[in-house]
Amino acid sequence: MSDDVGQKKGLTRRGFLKSAGGVAAVAGMAAGGVAVGAREGAAVPVAMPKKWDQTYDVVVIGSGFAGLAAAIEAKNAGASVVVIEKMPVHGGNSIINGGDFCAPGTRLQKAAGVEDSADLMYKDMMKAGLYLNNPELARILADNAREAVEWCEDYVGAKFTRLNFHGGHSVKRANQTVNASGSELVNKMLAKAKGLGVEVRTRTKMEHMITNKDGRVVGIEVKTGFRYPDEKSGKTGYIKAGKAVVLTSGGFSNDIALRRIQDPRLTEKFGSTNQPGATGEALLAACMAGAMDVQMDWIQLGPWTSPDEKGFGHVPLFCERLVGYGPMIDPATGKRFFKETGNRKERADAIILIGHPVIIMGDSYSVPKQVFPNALEKGLQNGAVKKFDTLEALAKNYNIPLETFQKEIARWNSFVEKKKDDDFSCMIFPDAKPTVAPPFYAARLWPKVHHTMGGLVIDKNARVFGFSLKPLKGLYAAGEVTGGIHGAVRLGGVAMADCIVFGRIAGKNAAKETAWS
Ligand SMILES: Cc1cc2nc3c(=O)[nH]c(=O)nc-3n(C[C@H](O)[C@H](O)[C@H](O)COP(=O)(O)OP(=O)(O)OC[C@H]3O[C@@H](n4cnc5c(N)ncnc54)[C@H](O)[C@@H]3O)c2cc1C
């Protein structure tokens, strides 16, 4: 955990807020017009500073997709804008992500002859989210995703060159960046933002939000010169937000204490795919200023990660490209066990239920065709992906009972031939071929903590709601720090759409706020 003291204080207050009494008490105070953050026995009362060190119209916290989208739009709407980032480098999870951006009706879909629509994407999101998604927000995302891709291409200059499939979607709709990484988009957004005159400051950590006597968010307390993970580093300073603060601080997959409170299974025994700074202190700081949270205990595990490499690694890009082209096998039984194209939660739960790593495999047709060459090469180099000349050698390596395994592969191949999986209803793509041609490639899979669906409550204008059930004046949020859009399961490739669509909305609206004085 990054901030022992701060987090403990925050969690105490969260415990209070989670109780009905806490919510009622805070709502009552807010209704009475009392400054929520200052009055509510906030664990960390933050007084208005005597002097602000800097003043901007819009202060953005976090330099990932959502933060940069917000900054660009706020700047274009005429605001002076700063982006602060606690880490030494910009980009957060966005810069290490796989670059898959889901949207319906894009140029790549049209070129591939894929029929899609915003309605279908919305339906897929709601189904995967177990209908716990805020329907209005999910609808906005689905309706605006295509335009968001076009903005990234035409205005920001990012290149999307390949169409991918992710489990739980009805069709291929992930528009992949040219380098299969979010860095293609983040770096171009950063250059665009700087070119427009947005200031970007790394090693600047938001410690607290500052509210005035009316409960309006008016600025933030920061530590400048912060050297992650040294919580004692840096110098305290105050940045005034003349119009609004936009919180885009990402998720909390790496905050073991916070995620365990929300989902007690997720101890340190589960690794994470996220960058080390993906912790929840900024989200908690917003809660301490009166912001409300939702669905914090829906935390997503990636079913495609490997125990044989650190972090996200290269196996996810191997695994996800192979679903619908190659089988997933439980090495203990030699059999398939689940629909390979199922959504993340279904698959991760199925693997956890089995209790040991499973494998995904493909052959010399499917692997070079589907897997990004760099991912394959790097996976082979670090040993997480293995290459075999025969099915026997593959079975021997993973201790798979050979006879059952061979029969299962023959059965899988028969399903691929007729394009219909009688056992698990896996989608089999039109260009899939039976897994018969050596060499064979395989990787072990075991889930890691990947995405936090819950976070701050926002409305369609990206305004953050307080415990008064009304917008908390002066605070906007977008991206993974928000909750409710994805419900129980965030489908692959939909986070990019979420961040860009709502980041842009947040930036535009933050710039339109009436300045306080
Ligand atoms: C390895 C990986 C691969 C992924 N691949 C895909 C994909 O292909 N497609 C897809 O749609 N989604 C993908 N995702 C999910 C997606 O990338 C994230 O949900 C998304 O990038 C979040 O963007 P964001 O702008 O909300 O936050 P981030 O990009 O995480 O940015 C938040 C920033 O805020 C900073 N910050 C946090 N707290 C503070 C503070 N107190 N003060 C100052 N700064 C702070 C963080 O350091 C971070 O840089 C992937 C995620 C991971 C981890």
Side-chain angles (χ1 to χ4, degrees), residues 61-67 84-87 89-101 166 204-206 248-251 273-275 277 279 281-282 312 450-451 478-481 490 492-497 499:
I61 299 149
S63 63
F65 294 133
I84 66 152
E85 167 59 55
K86 72 178 173 188
M87 301 304 274
V89 288
H90 68 275
N93 278 345
S94 303
I95 204 163
I96 59 166
N97 104 335
D100 272 354
F101 190 145
H166 282 266
T204 306
K205 183 179 177 224
M206 194 265 279
T248 51
S249 54
T273 61
N274 287 201
Q275 61 106 359
T279 49
E281 78 282 346
F312 189 65
H450 183 60
H451 188 92
E480 204 174 326
V481 75
R490 191 268 290 174
V494 180
M496 286 185 79
C499 291

Side-chain angles (χ1 to χ4, degrees), residues 11 38 44 87 135 172 174 230 239 305 316 319 429 431 482 490-491:
L11 297 179
V44 190
M87 301 304 274
K172 288 190 184 186
D230 178 3
I239 306 180
T305 41
C319 174
F429 292 106
D431 54 348
T482 65
R490 191 268 290 174
L491 285 174

Side-chain angles (χ1 to χ4, degrees), residues 137 458-464 475-478 502-503 505-507 509:
L137 300 182
I458 57 165
D459 71 356
K460 63 178 184 177
N461 298 312
R463 295 181 299 185
V464 173
L475 185 60
Y476 290 80
F502 283 99
I505 292 174
N509 289 333

Side-chain angles (χ1 to χ4, degrees), residues 21-274:
V23 173
V26 178
M29 273 186 262
V34 179
V36 174
R39 260 294 301 279
E40 187 275 327
V44 190
V46 189
M48 285 276 267
K50 290 202 177 75
K51 174 178 157 301
W52 297 98
D53 296 298
Q54 283 101 28
T55 298
Y56 297 87
D57 295 329
V58 175
V59 177
V60 179
I61 299 149
S63 63
F65 294 133
L68 293 172
I72 290 170
E73 292 293 20
K75 185 74 197 172
N76 279 336
S80 61
V81 184
V82 68
V83 176
I84 66 152
E85 167 59 55
K86 72 178 173 188
M87 301 304 274
V89 288
H90 68 275
N93 278 345
S94 303
I95 204 163
I96 59 166
N97 104 335
D100 272 354
F101 190 145
C102 279
T106 61
R107 185 178 49 79
L108 285 173
Q109 272 190 333
K110 283 186 185 134
V114 176
E115 294 236 347
D116 197 7
S117 67
D119 280 351
L120 188 59
M121 180 163 166
Y122 171 77
K123 277 189 196 143
D124 288 346
M125 286 174 63
M126 297 299 287
K127 185 174 169 212
L130 300 179
Y131 302 95
L132 296 172
N133 325 51
N134 176 324
E136 189 182 30
L137 300 182
R139 189 78 244 182
I140 289 175
L141 190 155
D143 285 349
N144 289 284
R146 184 182 54 78
E147 201 239 318
V149 172
E150 285 167 4
W151 182 78
C152 293
E153 287 180 309
D154 303 340
Y155 177 68
V156 178
K159 288 196 169 56
F160 295 86
T161 48
R162 186 189 158 101
L163 193 66
N164 289 327
F165 174 80
H166 282 266
H169 289 275
S170 295
V171 292
K172 288 190 184 186
R173 63 162 70 99
N175 301 266
Q176 183 193 278
T177 55
V178 64
N179 64 351
S181 163
S183 60
E184 160 73 4
L185 179 56
V186 166
N187 288 336
K188 287 186 173 156
M189 286 172 91
L190 183 77
K192 179 64 100 178
K194 284 185 172 171
L196 291 169
V198 169
E199 254 191 71
V200 181
R201 292 204 211 141
T202 53
R203 292 198 192 280
T204 306
K205 183 179 177 224
M206 194 265 279
E207 294 276 63
H208 303 296
M209 275 187 190
I210 300 170
T211 47
N212 68 10
K213 63 178 173 23
D214 304 318
R216 189 197 199 285
V217 174
V218 291
I220 57 171
E221 182 186 314
V222 295
K223 275 212 181 147
T224 56
F226 174 72
R227 305 192 83 77
Y228 177 90
D230 178 3
E231 289 302 329
K232 294 201 175 76
S233 63
K235 191 171 157 258
T236 298
Y238 299 94
I239 306 180
K240 175 178 165 180
K243 292 189 168 182
V245 168
V246 181
L247 188 61
T248 51
S249 54
F252 60 92
S253 287
N254 257 324
D255 195 325
I256 294 171
L258 181 52
R259 79 183 195 208
R260 277 189 69 184
I261 285 177
Q262 304 298 337
D263 183 342
R265 294 175 305 166
L266 302 181
T267 63
E268 50 292 316
K269 286 192 187 134
F270 283 91
S272 163
T273 61
N274 287 201

